[in-house]
Amino acid sequence: MSYRDELVAAALKARESSYSPYSHFRVGAALLCSDGEVFDGANIENSSFGATNCAERTAFFRAIMAGKRDFKAISIVGAPEGEDITSICAPCGICRQVMAEFCSPEFEIILFDGKDITVRTLSDILPDSFKL
Ligand code: THU
């Protein structure tokens, strides 16, 4: 299995931990650090909807708290509760901006539609990103 296949498998597993009683849309992510360690995440919703954390940011914030600063790739999978993955789940704008804080333009976003893997770079999905 390639690291991309392994990351997709880890994201599918992470999706099982989704807390999404409001949208019933379950997302999983798996973030590969440059040192080979993987941090997973799921979306965690809140009755105050704006407090919801996406799966990608859950994975990033866990990794940052563990001292990681160099990242290679993230896989993301999402689908409604009770359904298998049938289309890609592209990261929201806030998650793209979080990626831009910590990742190079070559950072890989690995998307899975239930059958095939599509790989984008951060510069593909967030060109001309804001930086201080
Ligand atoms: N969601 C993610 O976890 N990642 C994304 O990139 C898009 C959206 C979550 C947030 C919310 O819990 C649910 O999907 C519906 O928006």
Side-chain angles (χ1 to χ4, degrees), residues 102-116:
F102 297 108
C103 303
S104 70
E106 297 77 34
F107 178 74
E108 289 185 4
I109 294 93
I110 298 165
L111 304 170
F112 181 61
D113 66 4
K115 202 165 148 276
D116 298 312

Side-chain angles (χ1 to χ4, degrees), residues 68-127:
K68 307 297 177 184
R69 293 292 184 274
D70 292 304
F71 304 103
K72 184 175 164 73
I74 191 168
S75 64
I76 308 157
V77 296
E81 189 177 309
E83 294 182 21
D84 290 332
I85 309 298
T86 56
S87 58
I88 62 162
C89 178
C92 80
I94 294 174
C95 290
R96 293 177 196 210
Q97 183 65 26
V98 168
M99 290 174 198
E101 183 72 25
F102 297 108
C103 303
S104 70
E106 297 77 34
F107 178 74
E108 289 185 4
I109 294 93
I110 298 165
L111 304 170
F112 181 61
D113 66 4
K115 202 165 148 276
D116 298 312
I117 285 174
T118 300
V119 182
R120 306 262 185 244
T121 64
L122 183 55
S123 63
D124 287 335
I125 67 164
L126 190 66

Side-chain angles (χ1 to χ4, degrees), residues 8 13-14 21 26 30 33 41 44 47 61-63 82 90-91 96 104 106 114 118 123 130 132:
V8 169
K13 178 91 184 125
R26 295 168 72 83
C33 304
I44 302 171
S47 57
F61 295 158
R62 292 180 71 207
R96 293 177 196 210
S104 70
E106 297 77 34
T118 300
S123 63
F130 176 74
L132 283 179

